[in-house]
């Protein structure tokens, strides 16, 4: 057993933890980080990155198929589209390897000591790490808990060969013929659309009235249309009941039951924080349900212990974890920082993609804010036409009294890349006139943002 001391110990090498360690080390803080699986965490190894790789591969294959079926309006044709799925998986894995290796390199370059092993609190200042080759007892002035989250398992659908979680769905060696998905949220729809494009017969079972229930119907409508075009069956107000010999048993809201034939059942009903291990319960920290409760500096109820990322609650997004990690590193280094972000953008990488940032019109009204809105459809956007991606729109929500932009939403192909402009506008406190007064390059989909602001002001130019 080796004894080590440091100013900052980070438990968990996901986006929250590794960013925290890099930034702290850059600032000269003596930093150790511990990871039990792979640096990069859920996001890089079994989440954001491999899922987006699969989505890209599926998009490419779907285009080939479309060309082969003679459906290309551009006159493009292809014959006998095929996919060597083993190569697709190897390509996806190579990206994951490059990125996880890159994270280790960045930690080293910044001067953080990265240890591989499982960390467990002995007390609030001491952590034991069991590694494959070496064990450590580390005494730290400050500890950051960045242990992340894991998939929720339904008791009547235990994970195994047939019932899989997102990690299993991203590691299949064969494209399933029939895939039943429980949960029409982020993961179910992103991975479900990808497998539908790769040729699976996909059914999505969602308990609520709408898929992606956190978004309004206008935003999800183009996604529903595209799912229907892909042949995906969406069963809303339907719950999974259990495993049947031929597949998944479901119950609809009217009480009727049905068995969906499926070779694989993907359960994506949310993720839960990893707050039950690592000796965390013994610290007796104040909790917010299963999440570790934090204040606006990510401090927990115990002095010197911080928590960041998925283990601290919604939204469980990599960029939130990273922003918290960066902030905590600066605080530990003596900086005066607190969580003062106006908004956290969220992107759902369905086809088409959905971006939300700040308040939707309904959320603003629920808060009794008098708002005006402006919407611009991609059917009137030249760039969208040239890319055959006219479904969707950009919508801007602003306070009526002073035109302060409170929220921006978009749905459309490739709109994830507009999320930076949306977040910047909110963070900078832009008014509709600021957006309308900014020259947006032509022809780009971003002109939809300009036009939505103009529409809110009552004088859109291109509709
Ligand atoms: P994690 O990334 O979960 O990392 C925590 C790390 O801590 C893990 O590596 C774990 O091994 C380690 N750990 C836990 N306990 C210990 C211990 N005792 N000792 C040592 N190490 C420990 N978010 C987005 O923003 N965009 C997306 O497109 C997106 N896509 C996703 C797709 C899927 C399929 C999934 C599952 C998630 C996706 N997410 C996405 C969510 C994103 O992955 C998480 O929000 C993000 O990874 C959270 O970062 P984190 O650092 O809090 O935790
Ligand atoms: P989710 O919360 O997005 O969706 C879960 C869905 O399952 C909900 O719509 C819910 O109503 C439904 N549901 C719950 N119980 C059910 C039941 N018994 N039967 C049928 N439906 C049921 O959760 P997820 O898709 O597992 O994703 C987890 C988290 O990971 C997300 O909330 C998000 O924070 C993160 N994530 C983000 C991205 C992204 O940013 N693009 C992508 C994937 C995951």
């Amino acid at each position: 057993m080796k004894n080590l001391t440091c100013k900052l110990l980070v438990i968990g090498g996901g986006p929250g933890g590794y960013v925290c360690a890099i930034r702290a080390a850059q600032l000269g803080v003596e930093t150790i980080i511990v990871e039990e699986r792979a640096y990069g965490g859920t996001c890089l190894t079994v989440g954001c990155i491999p899922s987006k790789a699969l989505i890209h591969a599926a998009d490419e294959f779907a285009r080939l198929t479309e060309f082969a079926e003679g459906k290309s309006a551009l006159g493009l044709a292809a014959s006998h589209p095929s996919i060597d799925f083993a190569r697709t998986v190897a390509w996806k894995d190579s990206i994951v390897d490059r990125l996880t290796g890159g994270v280790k390199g960045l930690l080293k370059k910044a001067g953080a000591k990265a240890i591989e092993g499982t960390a467990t609190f002995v007390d609030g200042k001491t952590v034991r790490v069991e590694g494959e080759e070496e064990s450590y007892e580390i005494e730290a002035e400050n500890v950051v808990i960045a242990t992340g989250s894991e998939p929720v398992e339904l008791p009547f659908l235990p994970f195994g060969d047939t019932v899989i979680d997102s990690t299993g769905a991203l590691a299949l060696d064969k494209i399933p013929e029939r895939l039943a998905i429980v949960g029409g949220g982020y993961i179910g729809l992103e991975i479900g659309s990808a497998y539908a494009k790769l040729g699976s017969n996909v059914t999505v079972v969602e308990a609520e009235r709408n898929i992606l229930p956190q978004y309004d119907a206008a935003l999800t409508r183009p996604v529903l249309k595209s799912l229907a075009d892909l042949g995906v069956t969406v069963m809303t107000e339907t719950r999974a009941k259990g495993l049947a010999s031929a597949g998944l048993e479901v119950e609809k809201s009217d009480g009727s039951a049905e068995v969906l034939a499926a070779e694989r059942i993907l359960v994506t009903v949310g993720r839960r924080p990893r707050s039950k291990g690592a000796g965390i319960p013994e610290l007796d920290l104040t909790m917010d349900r299963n999440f570790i409760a934090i204040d606006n500096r990510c401090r927990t109820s115990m002095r010197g212990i911080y928590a960041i990322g998925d283990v601290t609650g919604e939204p469980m997004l990599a960029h939130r974890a990273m922003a918290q990690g960066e902030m905590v590193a600066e605080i530990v280094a003596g900086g005066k920082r607190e969580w003062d972000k106006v908004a956290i953008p969220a992107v759902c990488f369905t086809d088409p993609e959905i971006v939300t940032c700040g308040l939707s019109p309904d959320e603003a009204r629920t808060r009794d804010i008098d708002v005006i809105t402006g919407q611009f459809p991609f059917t009137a956007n030249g760039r969208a036409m040239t890319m055959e991606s006219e479904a969707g729109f950009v919508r801007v929500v602003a306070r009526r009294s002073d035109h302060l932009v409170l929220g921006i939403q978009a749905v459309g192909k490739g709109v994830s890349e507009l999320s930076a402009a949306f977040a910047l506008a909110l963070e900078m406190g832009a008014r509709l006139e600021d957006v309308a007064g900014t020259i947006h390059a032509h022809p780009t989909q971003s002109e939809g943002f300009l036009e939505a602001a103009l529409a809110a002001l009552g004088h859109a130019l291109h509709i």
Side-chain angles (χ1 to χ4, degrees):
M1 169 95 62
K2 265 193 184 167
N3 289 301
L4 299 174
T5 56
C6 60
K7 178 154 181 183
L8 174 65
L9 171 65
V10 181
I11 302 177
Y18 83 71
V19 165
C20 184
I22 289 174
R23 184 66 188 126
Q26 282 176 346
L27 291 165
V29 175
E30 199 190 354
T31 304
I32 299 177
I33 178 166
V34 186
E35 168 56 51
E36 68 178 1
R37 289 185 201 150
Y39 278 96
T42 304
C43 177
L44 264 58
T45 60
V46 292
C48 326
I49 297 299
S51 61
K52 271 66 220 183
L54 185 75
I55 288 167
H56 173 68
D59 283 347
E60 296 292 280
F61 185 64
R63 277 155 57 99
L64 271 185
T65 312
E66 198 183 302
F67 299 161
E69 287 171 354
K71 289 182 187 163
S72 165
L74 284 63
L76 297 171
S79 56
H80 309 301
S82 70
I83 180 163
D84 177 346
F85 196 55
R87 272 184 72 180
T88 309
V89 171
W91 166 76
K92 176 207 74 174
D93 290 345
S94 73
I95 293 173
V96 170
D97 288 348
R98 261 170 64 198
L99 288 172
T100 52
V103 167
K104 281 201 226 168
L106 291 171
L107 286 164
K108 192 168 173 203
K109 183 175 154 218
K113 182 176 175 60
I115 292 179
E116 276 156 36
T118 300
T120 309
F121 279 98
V122 176
D123 58 43
K125 297 272 176 227
T126 320
V127 170
R128 189 163 297 149
V129 179
E130 298 295 338
E132 260 185 32
E133 283 153 26
E134 193 94 59
S135 302
Y136 303 85
E137 187 153 291
I138 305 171
E139 237 173 81
E141 275 175 52
N142 302 278
V143 183
V144 174
I145 303 173
T147 48
S149 63
E150 59 196 357
V152 168
E153 186 175 40
L154 293 171
F156 49 86
L157 283 175
F159 294 130
D161 272 357
T162 307
V163 182
I164 54 174
D165 62 9
S166 53
T167 303
L170 293 169
L172 292 176
D173 52 9
K174 194 170 148 274
I175 299 162
E177 256 176 54
R178 286 176 179 277
L179 177 65
I181 300 180
V182 184
Y186 276 85
I187 301 181
L189 295 180
E190 288 187 4
I191 297 182
S193 314
Y195 276 113
K197 289 180 183 176
L198 291 170
S200 296
N201 191 325
V202 176
T203 303
V204 176
V205 175
E206 166 57 50
E208 300 288 327
R209 280 181 70 178
N210 297 307
I211 55 159
L212 293 167
Q214 69 272 45
Y215 298 139
D216 56 71
L219 284 172
T220 53
R221 205 168 292 126
V223 176
L224 269 172
K225 157 118 187 22
S226 141
L227 289 170
D229 291 348
L230 282 170
V232 174
T233 306
V234 177
M235 300 175 74
T236 51
E237 295 186 89
T238 305
R239 286 188 163 270
K241 275 207 76 182
L243 205 52
S245 55
L248 175 71
E249 190 182 351
V250 298
E251 188 179 67
K252 297 185 188 159
S253 55
D254 62 8
S256 61
E258 195 179 317
V259 172
L260 307 174
E263 190 185 326
R264 301 278 187 172
I265 299 164
L266 167 60
V267 177
T268 56
V269 294
R271 293 179 62 82
R272 64 162 165 248
R274 291 188 67 186
S275 56
K276 299 276 189 229
I280 296 169
E282 287 73 24
L283 294 176
D284 207 19
L285 301 173
T286 302
M287 304 295 287
D288 173 6
R289 291 161 296 141
N290 283 333
F291 297 108
I292 299 175
I294 50 167
D295 68 4
N296 63 354
R297 293 190 170 87
C298 288
R299 292 178 298 197
T300 68
S301 54
M302 188 179 276
R303 190 192 296 256
I305 299 192
Y306 299 80
I308 58 174
D310 284 9
V311 76
T312 64
E314 303 278 357
M316 290 199 220
L317 297 173
H319 40 282
R320 169 178 174 266
M322 291 194 243
Q324 289 178 321
E326 185 262 351
M327 178 187 78
V328 169
E330 300 219 343
I331 291 171
V332 170
K336 292 221 176 323
R337 288 284 303 273
E338 62 177 18
W339 189 259
D340 56 0
K341 310 293 180 201
V342 175
I344 302 171
V347 178
C348 189
F349 291 83
T350 39
D351 181 6
E353 295 167 346
I354 298 177
V355 181
T356 60
C357 193
L359 299 181
S360 69
D362 289 344
E363 285 163 342
R365 282 175 205 122
T366 309
R367 293 178 193 202
D368 281 333
I369 307 172
D370 188 13
V371 292
I372 49 174
T373 63
Q375 187 165 313
F376 188 80
F378 284 125
T379 43
N381 177 269
R383 181 62 178 148
M385 288 180 205
T386 63
M387 296 193 308
E388 302 174 278
S389 50
E390 296 177 39
F393 58 85
V394 182
R395 183 174 66 198
V396 179
V397 182
R399 193 156 60 194
R400 187 184 297 277
S401 58
D402 57 3
H403 297 177
L404 180 72
V405 178
L406 299 175
I408 309 154
Q409 301 85 38
V411 52
K413 220 175 191 78
V415 291
S416 51
E417 293 302 330
L418 299 185
S419 63
F422 297 172
L424 191 64
L426 288 177
E427 211 57 56
M428 301 289 287
R431 285 157 206 277
L432 290 171
E433 289 79 359
D434 296 317
V435 180
T438 302
I439 297 178
H440 288 69
H442 178 75
T444 63
Q445 283 174 291
S446 72
E447 288 170 285
F449 183 27
L450 163 73
E451 287 283 352
L454 287 171
L457 291 168
H459 51 89
L461 289 164
H462 290 90
I463 34 170

